[in-house]
Amino acid sequence: MTPIVLVREPGRTPLRILLGADPLEIGRDCKGIILTDSRISRRHLELHRSGNDVIAIDLGSTNGSRVDDVPFTNSHQLQPGEVIQIGDTTITLFYLPPHDAAG
């Protein structure tokens, strides 16, 4: 199964991102996905794969990270459909079945 995250930031077109082997950093000034949401930190969150699992790691953000409205401070193993909230931005995990991954 191939993990995909859907990033929704108010006022911007949603992004669908296929998670590869390398960690994905999310923030206002980072090496990964750059967002304009003023309520998120420069380096807010990192997503990485561990086999078929996806781990969300809060990078010491000022305003914190939540999964389905529950705060987490270090890391959280995401389940399909769970919603991460950072500032006003949401990130949702989905999986593509193996036959759909190439398309």
Side-chain angles (χ1 to χ4, degrees):
M1 303 237 303
T2 305
I4 291 182
V5 290
L6 178 63
V7 180
R8 290 187 180 111
E9 182 180 15
R12 294 181 75 183
T13 302
L15 300 171
R16 255 190 304 190
I17 301 160
L18 180 73
L19 293 179
D22 294 331
L24 176 65
E25 203 172 276
I26 300 172
R28 287 185 296 112
D29 182 17
C30 65
K31 295 179 184 178
I33 303 299
I34 297 175
L35 302 175
T36 60
D37 187 335
S38 63
R39 295 185 53 216
I40 66 172
S41 296
R42 291 179 333 121
R43 294 181 63 239
H44 196 107
L45 186 78
E46 181 179 276
L47 300 174
H48 75 88
R49 290 177 68 173
S50 177
N52 283 331
D53 296 329
V54 175
I55 310 296
I57 301 169
D58 185 280
L59 299 174
S61 65
T62 302
N63 292 323
S65 301
R66 303 173 73 81
V67 173
D68 291 341
D69 283 332
V70 177
F72 72 96
T73 54
N74 293 320
S75 65
H76 176 83
Q77 182 176 332
L78 291 172
Q79 301 300 313
E82 284 188 322
V83 178
I84 300 171
Q85 181 148 9
I86 57 173
D88 293 321
T89 299
T90 61
I91 302 164
T92 308
L93 173 67
F94 297 97
Y95 284 93
L96 282 181
H99 65 279
D100 288 345

